[in-house]
Amino acid sequence: ARAMLHGANTIEVGVRPVRDVFVDEICHPFFMFQLVAVVIWVLQEYVFYAVCIFVTSFLSAWVESREIWVNNTRLAELADLKGTLRILADGGDDKQHGGVDSAATKNDAALASDHLGEQA
């Protein structure tokens, strides 16, 4: 009944292509400033300096885009993990809950509460 009312208890992480992430990176104001500066340096005949700045800016944007894409891909894989969680209540009730890949016991809960008490 709750699943129909609230929907599935899932996290969906969309992963955009690395090309789209790269376009977003080069549209950032910093890279726009670098592009304008490169054009000015070329017009002022600082071609070698302009090419160096262009290449390093391009490589920096590509590396950052790739890193963002890899992190998003890993996050999507983690969000897609499925499993069952077993909860043992004080009364000995054993309830099954889907969507988690671990198991909890009374002892784990007691240890966790003891540890929290020590920190306070």
Side-chain angles (χ1 to χ4, degrees), residues 39-120:
V39 170
I40 292 171
W41 291 323
V42 167
L43 293 175
Q44 296 293 321
E45 298 181 10
Y46 291 113
V47 176
F48 181 75
Y49 185 67
V51 168
C52 289
I53 295 302
F54 177 79
V55 169
T56 56
S57 295
F58 179 85
L59 289 176
S60 172
W62 179 255
V63 167
E64 176 115 8
S65 301
R66 177 85 174 128
E67 185 175 316
I68 290 170
W69 180 80
V70 166
N71 288 339
N72 285 343
T73 302
R74 287 181 185 159
L75 182 61
E77 289 171 0
L78 285 174
D80 194 39
L81 291 177
K82 292 184 176 32
T84 301
L85 174 65
R86 195 171 113 218
I87 299 174
L88 298 176
D90 287 336
D93 295 338
D94 190 0
K95 299 179 181 180
Q96 295 285 330
H97 296 279
V100 180
D101 197 20
S102 63
T105 65
K106 285 189 217 178
N107 291 336
D108 291 337
L111 289 174
S113 63
D114 289 345
H115 182 65
L116 291 173
E118 292 173 2
Q119 292 179 346

Side-chain angles (χ1 to χ4, degrees), residues 16-29 31-32 61 65 68:
R16 298 182 311 158
V18 70
R19 180 189 70 243
D20 293 350
V21 177
F22 179 71
V23 169
D24 285 349
E25 283 296 311
I26 61 173
C27 289
H28 190 274
F31 289 105
M32 289 295 152
S65 301
I68 290 170

